[in-house]
């Protein structure tokens, strides 16, 4: 994710960027990584789907451009954005298959007109980024399943050995605790 944020910034010569991903409920956009932003600004909080620029991008699936943030009322954290020295932004959806998994936002420290080509390039980059994000999520799920399967295999091994009941039950209890992270 940090490399994706950095690459998006460099792609169109912007000053900073952030990536927000939908939470598991699909109702909150959580900003998980940034490039070129202060930690104070990066920790500004989540947005509900439909709220602010990035929240609208996730809801509508269309890019949102703010060429001059100072008079723009669509921005939720406007005071924080201006205090950060940011003056323009464009946010594009992170589209995966038939859904949207988040939003990529790039910022400039001056008011800026974004060309149609820049918007298109960011949208295409967002689609590729969404695939990479989903692949990473799938890999995490596979690793988690592997750990669980290994624990089940160990229980099966214990059961297949002829042994006393008490040590067998202790092994099963330990494996269950590992499987349930308890």
């Amino acid at each position: 994710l940090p490399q994706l944020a950095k690459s998006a910034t460099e792609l169109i010569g912007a000053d900073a960027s952030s990536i927000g991903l939908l939470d598991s409920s699909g109702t909150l956009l959580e900003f998980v990584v940034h490039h070129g932003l202060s930690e104070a600004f990066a920790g500004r909080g989540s947005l509900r789907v439909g709220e602010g620029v990035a929240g609208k991008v996730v809801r509508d699936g269309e890019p949102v451009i703010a060429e001059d943030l100072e008079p723009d009322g669509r921005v939720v954290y406007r005071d924080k954005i201006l205090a950060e020295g940011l003056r323009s932004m464009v946010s594009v959806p992170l589209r995966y298959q038939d859904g949207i998994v988040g939003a990529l936002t790039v910022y400039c420290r001056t008011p800026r007109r974004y060309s149609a080509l820049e918007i298109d390039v960011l949208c295409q980059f967002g689609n590729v980024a969404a695939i990479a994000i989903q692949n990473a999520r799938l890999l995490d799920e596979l690793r988690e399943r592997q750990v669980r399967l290994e624990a089940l295999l160990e229980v099966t091994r214990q059961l297949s050995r002829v042994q006393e009941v008490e040590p067998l039950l202790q092994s099963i209890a330990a494996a269950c605790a590992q499987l349930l992270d308890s």
Side-chain angles (χ1 to χ4, degrees):
L1 286 174
Q3 185 57 48
L4 289 172
K6 181 180 180 191
S7 295
T9 304
E10 294 169 350
L11 192 61
I12 65 162
D15 297 310
S17 64
S18 64
I19 295 176
L21 298 178
L22 283 174
D23 69 349
S24 59
S25 71
T27 59
L28 282 179
L29 185 64
E30 299 173 337
F31 294 96
V32 295
V33 70
H34 63 89
H35 176 75
L37 299 170
S38 70
E39 292 302 320
F41 178 74
R44 64 195 175 277
S46 305
L47 292 173
R48 289 186 308 272
V49 170
E51 179 183 37
V53 171
K56 288 176 183 165
V57 166
V58 170
R59 181 191 65 203
D60 301 337
E62 297 294 328
V64 174
I65 303 156
E67 295 177 351
D68 188 354
L69 290 167
E70 199 154 352
D72 199 313
R74 297 175 293 176
V75 181
V76 173
Y77 298 108
R78 189 172 167 277
D79 292 339
K80 290 181 180 184
I81 286 175
L82 294 176
E84 186 76 9
L86 305 172
R87 293 296 180 262
S88 65
M89 64 189 273
V90 59
S91 189
V92 299
L94 297 175
R95 194 179 305 278
Y96 180 75
Q97 293 179 347
D98 293 333
I100 295 173
V101 299
L104 165 68
T105 305
V106 295
Y107 307 89
C108 289
R109 299 199 186 284
T110 58
R112 175 176 172 178
R113 272 217 152 121
Y114 297 90
S115 71
L117 178 61
E118 288 174 319
I119 304 302
D120 187 51
V121 166
L122 280 175
C123 286
Q124 295 304 318
F125 181 83
N127 293 341
V128 172
I131 292 168
I133 290 165
Q134 288 303 104
N135 285 343
R137 286 177 172 170
L138 290 172
L139 184 59
D140 286 345
E141 287 177 21
L142 283 174
R143 287 181 181 146
E144 190 175 308
R145 283 184 186 167
Q146 181 180 358
V147 167
R148 290 181 179 188
L149 286 173
E150 287 171 357
L152 287 172
L153 179 61
E154 184 56 34
V155 168
T156 303
R157 285 184 188 134
Q158 295 290 330
L159 287 172
S160 66
R161 295 184 191 143
V162 177
Q163 57 179 303
E164 295 180 27
V165 173
E166 190 171 323
L168 176 63
L169 292 175
Q170 287 176 346
S171 295
I172 293 171
C176 289
Q178 180 185 359
L179 283 171
L180 300 173
D181 286 329
S182 63

